[in-house]
Structures are given as structure tokens and as C-alpha cells.
Amino acid sequence: MELKAGDRLSVGDAGLDRERLCGQAPQCVLAFDVVSFSQEQFRLVHVEVEVEVRDINDHAPRFPRAQIPVEVSEGAAVGTRIPLEVPVDEDVGANGLQSARLAEPHSPFRVELQTRADGAQCADLVLLQELDRESQATYSLGLVAQDGGRPPRSATAALSVRVLDANDHSPAFPQGAVTEVELAKDAPVGSLLLDLDAADPDEGPNGDVVFAFGARTPPEARRLFRLDPRSGRLTLAGPVDYERQDTYELDVRAQDCGPGPRAATCKVIVRLRDVNDNAPDISTTPLAAPGAPAASPFAAAAATLGGAEATSSTGPGMPEASAVSLVPEGAARESLVALVSTSDRDSGANGHEHFRLQPAYAGSYLVVTAASLDRERISEYNLTLVAEDRGAPPLRTVRPYTVRVGDENDNAPLFTRPVYEVSVRENNPPGAYLATVAARDPQRPGHPPAAGGRGHIQIQMNLVSEIVEKETVKQMAAVLISVESASRKCLLE
């Protein structure tokens, strides 16, 4: 302050700065003494002067930092208050800091400015709604501070809110609660079945997931399959046997590593895919034809082979000595020849002029006659039984099977000529050669006569003539000639 001529009190060249003189005091008063000296006469005049310095809005609010970081847990309740750094305004009263707000109108936060009991101001960030870090992990907001001057002054700062993770999510399998996977039964050990990926949107340990088999996974499945606890890779740990078991059900549990760990389960169904690695088996059982007499050659042959109890089988794809059935040539159509049973450890046509396969029951067929048989034309049939699956490529088993036709006395002997003319001289001695008479019973050439005398014929010559003497007739009637053929006695007249 300066006292100028004319007893005028004025502001000096340095000016007045209320904020420097009085700080944040609500009232700023300068008190000083004025002494006046007179030139004619010494006289002391003492005056006490008080000058009130009134504030003007010459300062804008100011934030301590341009970037203000804030952290809040996503599990924080609505109404939670997070302290903020208070902006500074050196002005006082109405010119001082009056409000603080967020520049974004639609925000899950609000800023509240309050005055404490000691007169100091404080600002809080208030949570208005629940947060979900997995939906939005950070918020970038503008914080505005404004005083009450005319015109008002303001300042802004960048408020960065980071939402801290809470373990509020369980792991989730993108494949769903049930997953099916197919595995070839001949897959090598170490084959990858499935790459499980249980996602947990939480952060840090709350989102770290480990995998393990559930309690309901059987020990056999634990032995055959391996689950990596960190990556979730499900691989084959041992060879599988499709014929023993073709489906496995595994319970997989995924759990995070956060406090109060959360878990989820997934059911993995492993279905084995059949591979055509087994050829069919063939089992052949000779059967007796219905009504065949016990003493017939067929029955004898069946007894030799073991009858219905004799079963011949062959391994997958392996040839075996031919099985044999004996069927009488007079057997009726549809007579049983054999029972053929097939089986294939893998999971998944026929025709002949005289025989056919007739389905009996699952995997079994009857070999029956398809036409009448004639031993004199064909005495033996060499059949081939083929069992083939429908795999890719198909596997087959080939089994030879022999059917022999038993002989029956169904053909009469036949002479080579219907009439034999012989010229005989009288007075021939007994035993003299007259002629050759041939009779045959039809039979396939090269085969021996059948048992029981069939195929052997006896020719009786009974010559009756009024011209030949009685003694000569007796001698000639005693001549018997045997000719190889069917068994039958023929009278030549």
C-alpha cells in the first residue's frame, strides 16, 4: 500500500494478491498504522487502517494430476465410494471450487463433492450399478471441476477406472455339457481324441483352469485314456478292444484356481469305430435228412461224421479240409444237408443248381437241396462256402464242403440189345461157347458198385425150344453169367 500526496492511500506497484496474502481464509483484512509528520511542527499522527481484500475469480480449478487412475472390484456393491484426488482452486467463496462431475452422462459412476467438518473439501467416485469385468474391464472418463465465478472457470482430468476381477464365473465348455467323439478301434496309442477348451473369462488365477476326470469315470476308462490337466488334451493311453466294449463315457471336470474355486463338468462319450480286421468264421454241422432210415447209407455216413453232433469250424480267413455230407440221391427237395453258422468279430449272396442256403437264425444257414439228385449222373458235389463281411476292404473266409450222393436202387438193368440171335449147331459138347449177352445197370463210369450188392447183376438163361433136345436145354440153363452193374436178377427168355 502506498500513501500518496493529498493523503491518498493507494495500491502499490506490486499489486494485491489475496491468495498470497490470506490463502484460503474466508475473510482477508490488512491492518496497518499510518504516521503523519508535519514540517512546521513536529506532530505524530497515528492511524490504524484495516483494508479488506476482496476475492476475484482469477484462478481456475486445478487437478494435481492430468491422469487419475482408480481401481474398483467388480464385486463391489452399489453405493461403494472410491476417494478421488480433490481439485484445487485458490479462490475462495463463490469463486472457489463449487462442483465436480463426470463428462459422460451415462456412466455407472457419479462424482460427489463434499465439505468436511473442518471445512476441507473431498470428492468421491460413487458406484451406481454392478460391474462386470468380463463385459467391460476399464472405463475412461472425463472429470470436470468448476468454480462459481462469473464467468465460471473449469478444469478437466482423465479418470481411468480399472475393474478388478472377482472369481464370479465358472469355467464353461464350448462343446456343451455332452460331447461325442469317434475313435477307430485300431487307433495307435497317443492319438488325440479331443482338445478340451474350458474357458473362464475371469482374470489371473480366477481364470486359470485345470482338468481332471470326474469321480464317476470308471477305472478302465482312466487306464485307456489320458487327460492333460493343463491343456485339456484327451489322448489314447492304451489299445482299445472294440469287440469287448465299443463305447466309453468319461466325466471331465474343469476347475479354476481362484479363491473359492468354481468348477464345471462335461460328459465325453467315446464311440469306437469298427475297422474290418476280422474275417468271418464258418462252422459247418452235417445234418440228417428228415425221415432218413437209420440203416441207410446216409445215416451211416452221418454216424461216421458224428451226425448232428459233428461240427467243423474254421478260423477267420483260414482254409480247412473239406467237410463231408452224405445225402441219398432220392432225398426230397428242401432236404437238409448241413447247418452252416457264421460269425464275425467285426460289426457290421448265394446260389447253386442243386443246393442253396436257407437262413435259419442269426448268423446261421441251412444247406438244403434245391433240386432232385441223381447219383448216376453226379455222385459228388464240391461246394464252396464263402463268408464275406461288408467292410472296406471286405474280408472273407472260404470253406470247401463236399456233398456225396448215396446210391439207391432206382434203375433196372438194361441189355445192350433187345434181341439176341444165336446159331447153334446140334451135338455141341457141354460148355461150348455160344454167344455173349451183356446187361448193365446205369452207374457213373469209374465208380465201384455200391454196398449191399447194388451194381452186381445176375443173368439167368432159360431156353425153351421144341426143336432142341431136352438134355441140351438142361445143360444150357445151368450157365450163369455175371455182368457188372446194378443189383437185379433178370430173366432172359
Side-chain angles (χ1 to χ4, degrees), residues 433-487:
Y433 173 79
L434 299 179
T436 299
V437 178
R440 295 184 180 277
D441 196 333
Q443 177 182 338
R444 187 176 178 183
H447 283 254
R454 292 191 300 273
H456 294 275
I457 63 173
Q458 184 178 27
I459 300 178
Q460 179 179 356
M461 299 180 65
N462 188 7
L463 302 179
V464 180
S465 176
E466 296 179 355
I467 302 175
V468 183
E469 294 182 359
K470 183 177 181 181
E471 182 180 356
T472 305
V473 170
K474 289 183 179 180
Q475 293 176 350
M476 294 181 66
V479 178
L480 296 178
I481 303 176
S482 295
V483 180
E484 180 177 328
S485 190
S487 61

Side-chain angles (χ1 to χ4, degrees), residues 272-293:
L272 301 185
R273 184 177 69 252
D274 189 26
V275 176
N276 196 24
D277 58 349
N278 291 291
D281 298 332
I282 298 180
S283 176
T284 308
T285 304
L287 298 177

Side-chain angles (χ1 to χ4, degrees), residues 236-473:
L236 184 63
V240 292
D241 187 352
Y242 176 86
E243 284 69 33
R244 178 182 178 186
Q245 185 174 349
D246 61 359
T247 304
Y248 295 88
E249 185 171 307
L250 314 175
D251 287 325
V252 177
R253 177 183 175 88
Q255 179 176 297
D256 61 33
C257 301
R262 292 172 173 260
T265 58
C266 174
K267 182 179 296 184
V268 179
I269 299 176
V270 181
R271 301 189 186 279
L272 301 185
R273 184 177 69 252
D274 189 26
V275 176
N276 196 24
D277 58 349
N278 291 291
D281 298 332
I282 298 180
S283 176
T284 308
T285 304
L287 298 177
S296 69
F298 175 82
T304 303
L305 294 171
E309 300 298 326
T311 301
S312 177
S313 62
T314 179
M318 298 296 295
E320 189 177 280
S322 172
V324 179
S325 285
L326 186 59
V327 182
E329 63 176 335
R333 185 176 179 178
E334 303 292 326
S335 295
L336 297 181
V337 177
L339 173 64
V340 178
S341 300
T342 63
S343 63
D344 193 337
R345 296 186 66 199
D346 295 324
S347 52
N350 52 113
H352 190 274
E353 181 182 359
H354 294 91
F355 301 93
R356 67 181 182 88
L357 289 176
Q358 175 178 304
Y361 48 90
S364 296
Y365 299 84
L366 297 176
V367 180
V368 298
T369 57
S372 59
L373 307 179
D374 187 353
R375 180 183 181 275
E376 286 67 40
R377 188 169 64 90
I378 302 177
S379 63
E380 183 175 292
Y381 295 87
N382 293 314
L383 308 180
T384 301
L385 301 176
V386 180
E388 182 176 277
D389 56 30
R390 297 181 180 179
L395 298 179
R396 61 166 54 187
T397 294
V398 179
R399 172 71 188 277
Y401 192 77
T402 301
V403 178
R404 293 174 182 165
V405 183
D407 184 43
E408 289 190 349
N409 193 20
D410 55 349
N411 290 283
L414 297 175
F415 284 100
T416 57
R417 298 180 185 178
V419 177
Y420 289 88
E421 293 183 1
V422 181
S423 297
V424 182
R425 293 181 180 182
E426 64 178 343
N427 301 322
N428 279 333
Y433 173 79
L434 299 179
T436 299
V437 178
R440 295 184 180 277
D441 196 333
Q443 177 182 338
R444 187 176 178 183
H447 283 254
R454 292 191 300 273
H456 294 275
I457 63 173
Q458 184 178 27
I459 300 178
Q460 179 179 356
M461 299 180 65
N462 188 7
L463 302 179
V464 180
S465 176
E466 296 179 355
I467 302 175
V468 183
E469 294 182 359
K470 183 177 181 181
E471 182 180 356
T472 305
V473 170

